[in-house]
Amino acid sequence: MKSSIAENIHRIDAELTGTAARLVVVTKTHPVERLEEAYAAGARLFGENRPQEMAAKQPQLPADIEWHLIGQLQTNKVKLLAPFVHTVQSIDSLKLLKEIDKHAAAHQRVIQGLLQFHIAQEDTKSGLSLLEAEEILASEAFRELRHVRLTGVMGVATFTNDEAQLRREFQQLRGYFEHLKNVYFAAEAAFCEISMGMSGDYQLAVAEGSTLVRVGSAIFGSR
Ligand SMILES: *Cc1c(COP(=O)(O)O)cnc(C)c1O
């Protein structure tokens, strides 16, 4: 018999105990009943990759869930999420930051964001380079934003079993985090998150300093 959602969550929670990492349960494509099971097992951080899907599920679930968007966000979809999203993990432009700021202000909220970096070898995976991120952070326009707060970095590693390569990619992301922390966020304790690690590689990511692991199929089974 396959293990249940609750068993999987409890197993991963136990693995993360004593580490710096928290579990983001990736619920994309799964129906609300399965999200309720995850909630009942104690999960509170949920990750979705599509704005419409997240906006449809959110009102059907308890209000104390922290919703994390982990997929690409087009500026015209920000308004769907602005009333409730906790963290947009996939920030990849100043334009997107400005749009989030505008809609968050309209709801008198502050939305958190992670800068998504390109760390994988596959060039299909999106994300910023360090240079692009620094251009955003150094800009006057960024410093004027009051309703979006950057709290760290996010990356998706190459889909591979090569542990040495995965470690290198996680170390690269952690290096970016430390550089940005030192140069731009030294005075901001809130800039503290390194979102890395998925079902196949989260143990390695935690060993390399992940603070948020994004796990879907190891909890719900393969899609
Ligand atoms: C789907 C997804 C995950 C979770 O992937 P699993 O392999 O199912 O754990 C993590 N991060 C992102 C960005 C995703 O799109």
Side-chain angles (χ1 to χ4, degrees):
M1 208 188 103
K2 286 206 304 188
S3 50
S4 70
I5 291 171
E7 283 165 356
N8 292 332
I9 288 175
H10 293 151
R11 188 189 69 248
I12 295 168
D13 274 341
E15 286 179 81
L16 298 183
T17 301
T19 76
R22 293 181 297 154
L23 172 62
V24 178
V25 175
V26 175
T27 53
K28 65 189 186 204
T29 75
H30 298 294
V32 163
E33 301 76 66
R34 309 198 88 198
L35 277 65
E36 285 167 346
E37 275 186 66
Y39 184 89
R44 292 296 179 272
L45 280 60
F46 284 22
E48 287 275 339
N49 68 338
R50 294 206 168 144
Q52 296 95 324
E53 188 176 339
M54 186 191 271
K57 287 173 176 174
Q58 184 269 342
Q60 305 180 60
L61 285 147
D64 63 342
I65 291 173
E66 260 187 33
W67 291 92
H68 289 232
L69 188 80
I70 60 171
Q72 220 198 0
L73 180 56
Q74 285 166 347
T75 49
N76 63 351
K77 300 283 161 48
V78 172
K79 62 176 179 299
L80 291 175
L81 307 183
F84 69 89
V85 71
H86 182 276
T87 300
V88 176
Q89 292 206 3
S90 45
I91 306 261
D92 59 0
S93 70
L94 179 59
K95 184 174 166 221
L96 181 57
L97 279 166
K98 285 160 114 173
E99 195 69 12
I100 294 171
D101 187 74
K102 185 177 90 186
H103 287 279
H107 292 276
Q108 294 164 311
R109 299 187 64 224
V110 174
I111 293 174
Q112 301 195 1
L114 305 181
L115 291 171
Q116 182 174 355
F117 283 94
H118 180 83
I119 53 169
Q121 256 171 11
E122 301 130 43
D123 39 68
T124 49
K125 290 189 175 146
S126 50
L128 298 161
S129 66
L130 186 58
L131 182 66
E132 289 167 335
E134 295 207 76
E135 278 172 10
I136 294 172
L137 296 175
S139 70
E140 195 60 47
F142 170 71
R143 274 177 270 147
E144 285 169 3
L145 305 180
R146 293 289 171 271
H147 294 270
V148 59
R149 176 184 303 132
L150 290 180
T151 54
V153 303
M154 180 268 221
V156 180
T158 304
F159 188 69
T160 177
N161 291 323
D162 182 342
E163 282 199 9
Q165 183 178 350
L166 289 167
R167 277 191 191 272
R168 275 197 304 277
E169 293 178 4
F170 293 143
Q171 285 163 7
Q172 182 181 24
L173 185 61
R174 185 183 178 157
Y176 290 169
F177 168 80
E178 276 163 7
H179 173 74
L180 298 180
K181 175 90 188 157
N182 289 332
V183 177
Y184 301 95
F185 297 96
E188 286 184 46
F191 191 86
C192 63
E193 303 289 6
I194 307 176
S195 174
M196 58 186 186
M198 307 176 21
S199 289
D201 56 22
Y202 70 87
Q203 284 110 337
L204 275 179
V206 170
E208 297 300 340
S210 175
T211 68
L212 291 169
V213 294
R214 311 178 305 267
V215 180
S217 49
I219 292 169
F220 295 105
S222 45
R223 288 181 294 275

